[in-house]
Amino acid sequence: MPRPPLRRLLLLLLLLSVSAARDQPPAAGSAERRCFCQVTGYLDDCTCDVETLDAFNNYKVFPRLQSLLESDYFRYYKVNLKKTCPFWNVISHCGIRDCAVEPCQSNKIPDGIRSAGYKYSEEANTSAKDCEEEESLGAVDESLSEKTVEAVRQWTRHDDAANSFCEADDIQSPEAEYVDLLLNPERYTGYKGPDAWRIWNSIYEENCFKPQSIKRPLNPLTSGRACAPFKNNQIRLSIFLAGLCVEKRAFYKLISGLHASINIHLSARYLLQDTWSKKQWGHNVTEFQERFDEVLTQGEGPRRLKNLYFIYLIELRALSKILPFFERLDFQLFTGDKDRDREVKSLLLEILHLIKAFPLHFDENSLFAGNQREAAKLKEEFRLHFRNISRIMDCVGCIKCRLWGKLQTQGLGTALKILFSESQIENLPERGPSPTFRLTRQEIVALFNAFGRISTSVKELENFRGLLQTLQ
């Protein structure tokens, strides 16, 4: 029997060995390491590291952002899910139960949102039409014909579109409806096959920048199992990134990061059980591995996860720059409930000030620098390519996938619009509308919900790390 001092020594050695085993990196062949081997350290083309972003998002941004997105102002999104695909005939998947979207009944929508459309304050709503016409028409002669007035309005809409990275829905269209995002969450729907493959193939192959000599490597008959699939035959454009300029690399990483985020949501809210009495949604580790495991994806999976952090940084930077827009005294997140609206704006500003104080923001000045003419040409290409991707979202056959695809592309497009409108934002008037920079309510809701999706994906990686640690 060991003497007491020796017993204490043995106990100490045991505790040290357990601690060391817990802190050491995963084994080379472990399930966790195969997905997260490259998801660490500094990000390419950035000065920030993954670990800093994890801590900032998971413990500061994520919990506050979830509270904001549960408010009435941010949960109701007006969208046209009936627009015709402009590129090919779409096979509808309305027969799949989980693809359906239930629009809101008009009496369920807060009065302030339903009547205001895209106005921000009660004062703006009462004089909306007069102010808008005066601003857009420049207080023109009342003797102008209706045809001329409408032509001027179209010119104004054209000017707005010239700065937009997305083709936004006409929310005045009778086909546009409000959707409660909390009642129609993004999750696995069963949408798969050649139709789902065609969406992502069109996005990557026809809209991402890459050498003309690179041809489409995919066979549509070998598509994946779920909405927005990542399979072994997934397009591996990352191998061509090294030869591209920083702007074209950034474009690809944004799309790849968005794709990765969507697939994380589908893996985290997977239909695990479907019986007549119960549906159970939860984390599907196997699905996550098929999309991100280094071996199963031929080395691409961990790179996709790293691109998730890139899009997080881009949208984070946009939110830091838009703070002056929301700080104006006459700006309200108007729903008709004054006390609640005041609370929501206070929470919004708290989040934006928190983001503003983040020390390692992406430097957008590294984009479109150099020769002004070439930079302007590249920026316009960048804008048109992304705008085209927003149009592809109307070709998604699963209606719920279409809803979240449209929202997230509009949110990212709004973030890009903000990033490249710095001078207009700096010169915003203290009160009233700006003639050079506007955000509609639709853009605001999309911007914050899209960032909420990216933030949730970063948080879910922490959950999947824990689940994968139990696998050998």
Side-chain angles (χ1 to χ4, degrees), residues 38 55 58 144 179 201 244 258 262 312 341 344 374 386 403:
Q38 298 177 39
N58 296 351
L144 289 177
V179 174
N201 187 62
L244 297 179
L258 176 61
I262 291 171
Y312 182 94
D341 291 347
V344 173
E374 290 299 318
F386 193 85
L403 164 67

Side-chain angles (χ1 to χ4, degrees), residues 264-322:
I264 292 168
H265 304 154
L266 303 181
S267 301
R269 302 192 72 165
Y270 197 89
L271 184 57
L272 301 176
Q273 180 181 342
D274 186 9
T275 65
W276 66 272
S277 62
K278 181 181 179 182
K279 277 192 174 187
Q280 181 182 348
W281 306 85
H283 293 83
N284 187 325
V285 177
T286 301
E287 192 75 17
F288 181 85
Q289 288 178 291
E290 288 189 0
R291 299 166 191 268
F292 300 110
D293 185 285
E294 183 181 29
V295 175
L296 298 178
T297 62
Q298 301 175 32
E300 289 297 298
R303 294 190 184 96
R304 297 166 185 157
L305 292 180
K306 215 161 185 179
N307 290 336
L308 168 69
Y309 288 91
F310 182 78
I311 190 175
Y312 182 94
L313 275 174
I314 292 292
E315 296 194 5
L316 192 76
R317 179 57 171 160
L319 291 174
S320 76
K321 295 177 75 70
I322 198 58

Side-chain angles (χ1 to χ4, degrees), residues 163 420-429 434 436-437:
N163 296 319
F420 301 118
S421 301
E422 183 173 14
S423 61
Q424 294 94 319
I425 295 172
E426 288 178 348
N427 294 302
L428 284 171
S434 166
T436 58
F437 182 83

